[in-house]
Amino acid sequence: MRSFQIQDTRDFMKKLLMADTFDTFQLSEASITTFASFHMDGLFHADYFGSQEEDAFPVEKDNYVLWKRVRPFFFDLTKGKNTPLSFRIVFRLAPHNVAKLLMQSGISLTAEDVDGLFLNIRFDENGLYCISGTSLRIFSLDKSLEHAWDAMLEKFFRKKEIPFC
């Protein structure tokens, strides 16, 4: 687990809400407090759509929606002259990207062993932080996946020009 303190909140928020920077991440859950508190989970509810609409709304095999589908709604909640009091977003790496990370890192785990690789984004009066997290379905003392995930996030932030310390 690693904590990244984001140095430029305004630029990060543009990348989070108005660009496709995080669109390939799945949404695990999100909450925001403005004049009221709003909470959403990222579980896809296929019953909402007809069969034709469902085909146009791709989800991963574990039924989480991609951030790009929820981003406009979250953005609407942040609009206005006042800054949100706080928000929290929990992203998860899509399963096919988990498999890719395992392969590229030479880690002996399988994608089925990994319950999730998470990016927790937290904003409040203390600042804006991104915190990595891992969850395995098996017991292991090996921290190589955690280190690989942290390194991948650091590389991602640098590539997307997101300054952190």
Side-chain angles (χ1 to χ4, degrees), residues 39-134:
H39 179 83
M40 58 188 89
D41 70 26
L43 292 174
F44 178 70
H45 298 281
D47 296 348
Y48 180 76
F49 294 104
S51 60
Q52 290 177 336
E53 290 175 304
E54 188 176 335
D55 293 338
F57 199 100
V59 295
E60 295 291 336
K61 65 181 179 182
D62 57 354
N63 289 326
Y64 287 94
V65 296
L66 295 174
W67 174 244
K68 70 179 176 182
R69 302 294 183 196
V70 180
R71 180 168 41 96
F73 301 103
F74 200 87
F75 178 68
D76 282 346
L77 292 171
T78 65
K79 282 198 259 183
K81 64 179 183 173
N82 297 330
T83 302
L85 297 173
S86 65
F87 69 79
R88 187 175 69 92
I89 300 170
V90 181
F91 288 137
R92 51 187 303 129
L93 192 64
H96 67 277
N97 286 327
V98 171
K100 190 185 301 185
L101 176 63
L102 292 171
M103 185 184 72
Q104 290 172 345
S105 303
I107 297 171
S108 61
L109 297 170
T110 67
E112 291 75 30
D113 294 335
V114 180
D115 188 41
L117 298 177
F118 299 96
L119 174 60
N120 298 280
I121 302 171
R122 189 186 78 222
F123 170 78
D124 58 25
E125 70 274 359
N126 297 316
L128 179 60
Y129 295 87
C130 294
I131 303 158
S132 66
T134 59

Side-chain angles (χ1 to χ4, degrees), residues 10-21:
R10 180 178 299 277
D11 182 61
F12 183 89
M13 293 304 293
K14 285 180 185 176
K15 290 174 179 171
L16 178 68
L17 299 174
M18 298 190 303
D20 64 358
T21 308

Side-chain angles (χ1 to χ4, degrees), residues 129-154:
Y129 295 87
C130 294
I131 303 158
S132 66
T134 59
S135 177
L136 295 176
R137 291 187 176 109
I138 62 168
F139 177 76
S140 175
L141 294 174
D142 183 5
K143 298 292 183 190
S144 57
L145 177 59
E146 185 175 325
H147 297 307
W149 176 229
D150 291 345
M152 182 183 156
L153 284 174
E154 184 173 332

